[in-house]
Amino acid sequence: MQIATWNVNSIRTRLPHVLAWLDRCRPEVLCLQETKVENDRFPTAAFEALGYSVGIHGQKTYNGVAILSRPPIESLERGFRAVLAEDPETIACDEQARVLSACIDGLRVVNLYVPNGSSLQSDKYAYKLRWLAQLRRYLERQSREPEPLCVVGDFNIAPDARDLPDPDRQTGGIMASDAERQALQLALQACGDGEDALQDGFRAFEPGAGHWSWWDYRSGAWDRDRGWRIDHIYLDAVLLAQASGCSIDRQERGRPQPSDHAPVIVTLSWPPAGGDEEEWLEDQPLGWET
């Protein structure tokens, strides 16, 4: 199974790019961010024609997430409130369409579009930290479910210096501040400590610096290859053990009128050997999912 994530920066603008990429790469699951369209205006039929089921959590002009899947989509959940109580903070963080999850082939896929934050002095930065605190609560609840967990999306955070083109200058700024990085790590650790925490699928296979998933439209970032790695795929211990590779398809960023992001793809041996994920899960030691 291949699971991909891609911030398309408007699905209607980038629809030909996404359809061509799906026809070429045929991942089982594609999670989209920044779709920028209401549910009833999402181009569902175009993806169904390629054999994909579609789950949508849309919003006009801004934000928006979607899950496309060749296996059937089950248990589609929109927003934090799908699993968290409707307290004022959760409701406030759910005003923007940024969270969508589904059960697919016996695993839980969570698709996220984390707020950018704008600048360290902005109200949007404070909102981003509050949103990440809600994400921590949300992932802790999701980790209690029996399905293995895969969390993907545009996180708008470069986790460490390897993920920046100029770390001496950029570390400490927006998308690379200590508070954002710590909040992300706390969210990943909500599923467990150490090896039980959600792990960066890309870093499991590529420890080196200089790999980017986003190139700003401004300042000739693509031509100078001055990107950031802010699009991630995180796996729990069960799925990490089944992963055989994770890559960034950077050639999509070089096409005419591209998104400023490139797809990130993880390859999993899933369902596990034997082909019956329910039987495989039953064979795991008691308490593995905690």
Side-chain angles (χ1 to χ4, degrees):
M1 171 185 278
Q2 288 194 316
I3 299 174
T5 179
W6 192 1
N7 178 321
V8 291
N9 194 3
S10 175
I11 187 58
R12 289 186 292 179
T13 300
R14 239 62 69 180
L15 182 60
H17 295 66
V18 178
L19 292 175
W21 188 81
L22 285 173
D23 190 54
R24 174 170 63 87
C25 296
R26 300 296 291 172
E28 279 70 24
V29 180
L30 173 60
C31 295
L32 303 175
Q33 303 88 40
E34 207 171 354
T35 55
K36 296 183 177 181
V37 66
E38 308 99 311
N39 291 359
D40 60 357
R41 297 175 66 85
F42 191 91
T44 300
F47 296 112
E48 290 178 339
L50 290 180
Y52 286 88
S53 300
V54 180
I56 315 162
H57 184 30
Q59 183 177 340
K60 183 179 181 180
T61 307
Y62 301 101
N63 310 315
V65 282
I67 297 175
L68 316 178
S69 178
R70 287 198 282 152
I73 293 176
E74 303 173 3
S75 184
L76 192 72
E77 298 177 346
R78 296 178 175 90
F80 290 134
R81 282 178 287 179
V83 299
L84 297 178
E86 294 198 11
D87 58 76
E89 186 69 358
T90 302
I91 293 171
C93 288
D94 260 355
E95 289 177 354
Q96 301 176 7
R98 294 182 176 274
V99 180
L100 183 65
S101 78
C103 284
I104 299 170
D105 251 3
L107 57 84
R108 169 67 63 176
V109 177
V110 176
N111 181 16
L112 303 174
Y113 178 38
V114 177
N116 174 278
S118 184
S119 71
L120 300 185
Q121 295 74 37
S122 169
D123 290 343
K124 294 180 180 179
Y125 180 70
Y127 174 79
K128 181 177 189 175
L129 296 180
R130 289 165 48 209
W131 195 95
L132 288 167
Q134 289 299 303
L135 178 62
R136 180 184 182 183
R137 295 177 58 222
Y138 175 83
L139 292 180
E140 191 279 329
R141 287 291 300 273
Q142 289 286 18
S143 71
R144 299 181 197 175
E145 300 301 319
E147 300 87 4
L149 187 60
C150 173
V151 181
V152 312
D154 175 2
F155 283 76
N156 273 311
I157 298 172
D160 61 50
R162 296 171 295 175
D163 305 310
L164 299 168
D166 188 355
D168 290 341
R169 180 176 64 85
Q170 293 162 328
T171 297
I174 193 66
M175 300 197 298
S177 69
D178 289 343
E180 290 167 277
R181 287 172 167 175
Q182 182 180 26
L184 174 58
Q185 289 306 310
L186 288 173
L188 300 176
Q189 292 165 8
C191 299
D193 297 328
E195 294 181 356
D196 291 329
L198 291 171
Q199 302 293 322
D200 188 332
F202 184 78
R203 287 302 178 203
F205 299 95
E206 179 48 72
H211 301 274
W212 322 126
S213 65
W214 170 73
W215 295 258
D216 197 334
Y217 288 130
R218 300 166 294 182
S219 305
W222 171 251
D223 292 334
R224 297 186 299 120
D225 196 25
R226 305 287 284 178
W228 294 47
R229 193 181 73 93
I230 59 175
D231 302 88
H232 310 148
I233 295 177
Y234 293 102
L235 305 171
D236 71 7
V238 172
L239 294 181
L240 187 63
Q242 301 295 320
S244 58
C246 188
S247 62
I248 301 169
D249 189 356
R250 57 177 288 145
Q251 74 175 18
E252 288 301 314
R253 180 61 176 83
R255 300 194 186 282
Q257 296 185 322
S259 168
D260 44 354
H261 296 252
V264 183
I265 311 101
V266 67
T267 301
L268 305 171
S269 298
W270 193 268
D276 188 335
E277 65 272 13
E278 291 184 3
E279 180 179 329
W280 180 84
L281 290 169
E282 289 174 359
D283 289 340
Q284 299 311 297
L286 184 64
W288 71 266
E289 71 272 16
T290 62

